[in-house]
Amino acid sequence: MMPPRSFQRITLPALLAACALCAQQPAAQPPKPQEKKQPGPEIVAKKKNPAVVSFGLMAGGHLRDFLNTGNSAGQANDTSGHLLIGPTLQVHWSRFSIELDALYRGYGTRSSGNILGVSFENRSNGRTWEFPLLAKRRFYPEANVKPVFGAGVALRYLGQSSTLSASNDPGNANTNTERSYVFGIPLAAGIEFQSGRFRFTPEFRYTLWAADNSLFPVRSQGIFDSNNNQFQLLLGFTF
């Protein structure tokens, strides 16, 4: 059965208008996948440099005698060795480090003098241990060659066995053993060469020690005191 003509006249224009409206509307775009947001520099956590502990050996020599020998009241000869050697323990951060050394040195003196008409002669042999504790600052920490400066405190132990003889009693020599502890302030300047975990550090070190005249036979006069100013050249090797 065919629909009436009036219905066809009304329906056909409506269908054409609906098709025109559909053609004007843009086609639906498929959803884009969400891009992952990259973290900005302000929220990226900085990588911390862990502390590195290294062990090794420190060796070098003194640039000055242990004793003040230029005293008019007597004459002293310093027979101490000039070689310093001992272990070192170091803790390193990016720019800073803490260093503890234990440096051994052979010690000896031969002294003579005259007080109130009595001549005396003293011979001593022993050992010294120096324990400097330094805080150091390194520059250009990422480079293989770094300038290094440091300062700290130090303790020196000195033990000796001495034999004293006097002209008024030549057959009765007096032998005794003594110990001394002296504090000092070390200052250091050097260069650190690093290759992997290995470090080589040539260094110049100056130490200002407290007065030490407790180990010599003539204490009232204060002669034969140890030098307060000590200069050393050291080479450190750690891994």
Side-chain angles (χ1 to χ4, degrees):
M1 182 177 177
M2 297 295 293
R5 290 183 176 276
S6 59
F7 179 77
Q8 292 180 2
R9 294 193 188 100
I10 297 174
T11 306
L12 184 57
L15 291 174
L16 295 176
C19 292
L21 290 174
C22 292
Q24 293 178 357
Q25 293 182 355
Q29 298 294 331
K32 294 182 180 180
Q34 292 185 351
E35 296 180 357
K36 294 183 179 180
K37 186 178 181 182
Q38 296 295 331
E42 68 279 356
I43 63 173
V44 174
K46 292 184 178 180
K47 185 179 179 181
K48 295 182 179 180
N49 292 320
V52 177
V53 180
S54 60
F55 302 89
L57 186 68
M58 187 74 69
H62 280 280
L63 303 180
R64 193 178 187 187
D65 288 340
F66 186 83
L67 297 176
N68 287 316
T69 57
N71 195 301
S72 59
Q75 181 178 1
N77 295 317
D78 189 351
T79 60
S80 303
H82 285 266
L83 176 64
L84 284 166
I85 191 169
T88 179
L89 170 64
Q90 302 176 9
V91 182
H92 304 278
W93 288 274
S94 174
R95 297 179 181 271
F96 300 94
S97 61
I98 300 295
E99 177 181 327
L100 176 63
D101 305 326
L103 303 177
Y104 171 82
R105 178 192 187 191
Y107 169 79
T109 64
R110 184 175 67 254
S111 58
S112 61
N114 188 298
I115 296 180
L116 300 178
V118 178
S119 300
F120 68 87
E121 184 181 28
N122 181 77
R123 294 177 179 269
S124 300
N125 292 286
R127 62 193 182 277
T128 67
W129 281 96
E130 296 179 13
F131 302 95
L133 177 64
L134 297 104
K136 292 187 173 181
R137 170 72 155 82
R138 297 195 301 277
F139 295 86
Y140 311 108
E142 304 300 329
N144 292 329
V145 180
K146 313 173 186 64
V148 180
F149 299 91
V153 295
L155 172 67
R156 181 174 67 198
Y157 163 81
L158 192 153
Q160 74 166 5
S161 176
S162 60
T163 301
L164 176 64
S165 58
S167 60
N168 61 345
D169 192 5
N172 186 18
N174 182 25
T175 301
N176 63 341
T177 301
E178 296 179 287
R179 296 179 177 84
S180 174
Y181 298 91
V182 180
F183 288 95
I185 300 175
L187 303 174
I191 300 175
E192 180 183 283
F193 300 89
Q194 183 174 355
S195 177
R197 286 186 57 87
F198 295 95
R199 302 171 189 265
F200 301 89
T201 311
E203 177 181 298
F204 173 80
R205 188 177 296 181
Y206 164 77
T207 305
L208 175 63
W209 294 102
D212 179 8
N213 60 351
S214 62
L215 295 175
F216 303 102
V218 186
R219 298 189 180 95
S220 60
Q221 296 286 332
I223 63 175
F224 309 141
D225 296 350
S226 61
N227 282 315
N228 300 101
N229 299 301
Q230 178 176 289
F231 302 92
Q232 301 169 339
L233 281 178
L234 299 171
L235 175 63
F237 170 74
T238 61
F239 58 90

